[in-house]
Amino acid sequence: MSVKNLAAKVFAKRIHALTQKWANNPVVTQKKVLESLLIAAAQTKFGKDHHFRSITSHADFVQNVPVRDYEGLKSYIDLVVIGEPNVLWKGKPLYFAKTSGTTSGAKYIPLTAASMPFHIQAARNAILSYIHETGKADFVSGKMIFLQGSPILEEKNGIKLGRLSGIVAHFIPKYLQKNRMPSWETNCIEDWETKVNAIVEETFSEDMTVISGIPSWVQMYFEKLKEKGNKPVGEIFKNFNLFIYGGVNYEPYRAKFENLIGRKVDSIELFPASEGFFAYQDSQKEKGMLLLLNSGIFYEFIKADEFFTENPRRYTIGEVELNVNYALIISTNAGLWAYNIGDTVQFTSLQPYRVIVSGRIKHYISAFGEHVIGKEVESALKEAMEGTDVRVNEFTVAPQINPKEGLPYHEWFIEFENEPDDLSAFALRIDAAMRKQNVYYDDLIVGNVLRTAVVTKVQQNGFQEYMKSQGKLGGQNKLPRLTNDRKIADLLDSE
């Protein structure tokens, strides 16, 4: 065992012990986080406007601080953007993570000196948890690649800004610098297709042991590797045994990945966002990701089916239940307060608190009252593929409300790597799986309000071309799994 491997195992044991302390005291931990956030921001503009000094309980916090999304907080963020200090958090942010918004154009999410370290620590601790549980540490001596956005940063009123993954690239620990790929120059390439080609050339002859990124874009990298080497990725990188991912559910991609790699590899799921690093997979044996309760973030949860009602109840960590779909609300040491990030989660464990990402509060299909969510369509596709040779590259689902003939239906746009012999039979398998999961959908089928699902094949690389046409190829961009309209569907239909 190398010195590096031994050091990793010792460090992993230490971090595991520290993690257990707060994970075993979740309610107290979160109470302390809220108290510390309120004290730290009491003299900010937001803190004064919302009477932070008078807040002594969660009930007080709910009374004084309403739930907001970016639009609701924008008047404060605009002041931060023009350079005003002490608005949402003490002083000024270190960075803005720039993301695309729907109604506001570009969104500027603040990253502060208090919040930034937790983004780095969480990614590190996810790997250390894996080492502690499995005892596997050989990969630390090999090369690691993190497919991410360009680290080139702009500046706005004295504050640097860029994509979160590009900002994080500036904080890679020194002990990983020699192992990390691609090179800085390659990482700075803006055009995603050019960048992936350069990464393939740069990494092809290296001993890659860890590969990380959003599955849809890592898939593109793997396909180009396989094409260049004319053999599976697992033969090109014989010591590659750990895939780290986030952003989307891996399950719809798993069969395709194992085919591209040529064997199974371990994986670690992360739940990062510009607004905070919320959870990571701490066990290969248990379902879900450990919710990070001691990372400068106070969490509240609103039941998704109550979210759009007037004054829905805001639950704290000690009040949540298993398998309920919750909108995730956060207050952070970056100055986001009762902030709706748009993601929904479900708890898979309450000891410790582990979650899965179930979808987006605005990404659903409920054209007929069925309220289908992302987790359901992903699970239905996975179940339909079980026991078959079908492999899927990418997919999205939309309602067809006004068909040319017959009843309305849910239309599944699927790009197949290996398509089924009978597309109609495969569509029925998907539909059966959906009906088992969602009683409202089943009622609509039984009541002849909807007909069974229809699968429409998307041409090879069709989704990549769609994302490219929208200026969202690569990086942290993700294709919505489902929408309640046909904006994406109609563009795919027109190809």
Side-chain angles (χ1 to χ4, degrees), residues 6 24 133 138 168 206 292 346 401 409 461:
L6 180 60
N24 291 331
E133 182 187 49
D138 289 346
V168 169
E206 297 288 346
L292 303 181
Q346 292 180 4
I401 299 172
Y409 54 87
N461 300 318

Side-chain angles (χ1 to χ4, degrees), residues 2-5 137-144 179 207 209:
S2 72
V3 173
K4 200 169 187 179
N5 293 14
D138 289 346
F139 64 86
V140 301
S141 299
K143 296 285 188 178
M144 306 177 186
N179 298 64
D207 179 24
T209 57

Side-chain angles (χ1 to χ4, degrees), residues 190-207:
E190 290 287 350
D191 180 75
W192 186 252
E193 290 173 295
T194 304
K195 183 173 185 170
V196 172
N197 287 331
I199 291 173
V200 168
E201 293 302 319
E202 200 167 277
T203 59
F204 187 79
S205 300
E206 297 288 346
D207 179 24

